Amino acid sequence: LLNDFAWVQSAISVGDDEAQRRATIGNLIRDCVELGIYFAPESDTPRFLSKAVHALSYDPNELASQVLARLGHDSKEPLALSLQTPDQPWLEPTRVTLAHPRDSLLHVLKGHSGAVWSVAIQGDTIVSGSYDRTVRVWNATSGEEQHVLKGHSSSVSSVAIQGDTIVSGSYDNTVRIWNATSGEEQHVLKGHSS
């Protein structure tokens, strides 16, 4: 079943919200570990799900994109061979851009005191936004924290980076613009009501 795209799509879609789907995917991964098939040579699916859990719990329809971005179009992996593309418009990766399920973990970035809601990466810079009301800037190669950006009065729900500019959105109804190099806040955009 782990090699059947339709079954995996159905299994990870159980739940009414992101938290329930994350728990469902976590239970599936835990079952694979307990059954001794997490590292089974005939399927990378359990390790694939471990690396894609955040994207898939947010939107299970990302399964096809995640498969192609991690395994590639020419993959002989059974999950990729049984791929069913979405019946709605979608962005189809043309090359492998995400870590393969068998790639080793590079870093665990620790520093947030609450759940991480959003992550963006550009080159060697990773930006994360958290329930703890902070935005953190990390070096992707070393895993070192570069800056802690404080200013939001509620959870940070989204982050983006382009060039030397970081943008964060929060449940405090503000968008903040930061300098990625210095960590300084440049602007606070107000106007949203919810």
Side-chain angles (χ1 to χ4, degrees), residues 125-138:
T125 303
I126 297 172
V127 180
S128 57
S130 171
Y131 183 80
D132 68 8
R133 305 183 312 227
T134 67
V135 174
R136 293 179 187 258
V137 182
W138 313 83

Side-chain angles (χ1 to χ4, degrees), residues 27-121:
N27 289 337
L28 180 59
I29 294 166
R30 189 171 38 259
D31 289 347
C32 291
V33 170
E34 290 175 1
L35 292 170
I37 59 172
Y38 185 79
F39 293 106
E42 59 273 3
S43 178
D44 281 333
T45 302
R47 284 170 287 174
F48 165 80
L49 290 173
S50 293
K51 294 206 176 194
V53 65
H54 297 294
L56 297 176
S57 60
Y58 179 74
D59 184 359
N61 293 320
E62 287 293 316
L63 182 59
S65 296
Q66 286 285 319
V67 167
L68 292 178
R70 291 181 189 280
L71 302 174
H73 283 273
D74 57 350
S75 174
K76 302 299 182 221
E77 176 66 32
L79 187 63
L81 294 174
S82 68
L83 179 79
Q84 297 172 2
T85 58
D87 55 0
Q88 69 235 10
W90 67 299
L91 295 175
E92 180 179 349
T94 58
R95 61 185 173 87
V96 174
T97 54
L98 298 174
H100 188 280
R102 292 185 188 207
D103 288 351
S104 59
L105 178 66
L106 296 178
H107 302 289
V108 175
L109 307 178
K110 294 184 178 182
H112 286 293
S113 61
V116 175
W117 291 93
S118 182
V119 177
I121 186 168

Side-chain angles (χ1 to χ4, degrees), residues 99-173:
H100 188 280
R102 292 185 188 207
D103 288 351
S104 59
L105 178 66
L106 296 178
H107 302 289
V108 175
L109 307 178
K110 294 184 178 182
H112 286 293
S113 61
V116 175
W117 291 93
S118 182
V119 177
I121 186 168
Q122 174 186 269
D124 203 33
T125 303
I126 297 172
V127 180
S128 57
S130 171
Y131 183 80
D132 68 8
R133 305 183 312 227
T134 67
V135 174
R136 293 179 187 258
V137 182
W138 313 83
N139 179 290
T141 301
S142 68
E144 293 179 16
E145 184 179 87
Q146 304 295 303
H147 300 290
V148 178
L149 312 180
K150 297 180 179 179
H152 286 292
S153 61
S154 191
S155 303
V156 177
S157 57
S158 61
V159 294
I161 183 170
Q162 183 175 8
D164 201 35
T165 302
I166 294 171
V167 179
S168 58
S170 169
Y171 285 103
D172 66 8
N173 300 328

